[in-house]
Amino acid sequence: MADETSSDVDVELGDDYFITLDYDDGTSEECEVIGIFEHDGGEYIALGPEESDDVYIYGYRETDDGGFDLLELDESVFDDVSAAYLAIQDQLEGEPEG
């Protein structure tokens, strides 16, 4: 079973959305929402932390109250979803602008 991660939508700047990830140890981290995508019937979200070039990928589930939950992924699912995310990024980079 996936663990839920607490999150709050923090700031909206133009087309950029930021989420604050609150960790169990009391720390938090600002992340830009890179995108939400589907893969094998599930929804996932890619987040880019402000202080790093890393990308975090979580399961994504909208809630009845208009919010959402982030779900940690098992390693086997994470590997598959990460590969799908990279394929999407490669496809987007190959598209002509305009």
Side-chain angles (χ1 to χ4, degrees):
M1 183 173 150
D3 296 330
E4 292 186 22
T5 301
S6 173
S7 64
D8 299 309
V9 175
D10 187 34
V11 180
E12 182 180 332
L13 300 172
D15 291 334
D16 298 331
Y17 293 93
F18 290 84
I19 292 176
T20 301
L21 296 180
D22 297 318
Y23 299 111
D24 290 338
D25 65 1
T27 61
S28 62
E29 183 173 29
E30 294 290 318
C31 295
E32 181 178 2
V33 176
I34 297 170
I36 297 170
F37 61 99
E38 292 185 18
H39 177 67
D40 280 347
E43 283 192 292
Y44 303 92
I45 189 169
L47 304 174
E50 279 190 320
E51 304 296 323
S52 172
D53 290 333
D54 291 340
V55 174
Y56 301 158
I57 297 177
Y58 290 94
Y60 176 85
R61 179 179 59 204
E62 292 184 7
T63 59
D64 292 337
D65 64 1
F68 61 90
D69 291 325
L70 300 181
L71 308 169
E72 290 187 18
L73 304 176
D74 294 332
E75 188 173 335
S76 61
V77 173
F78 178 82
D79 291 342
D80 185 45
V81 173
S82 294
Y85 169 77
L86 291 174
I88 291 167
Q89 288 300 103
D90 287 345
Q91 181 181 9
L92 290 175
E93 289 174 5
E95 291 181 1
E97 291 186 36

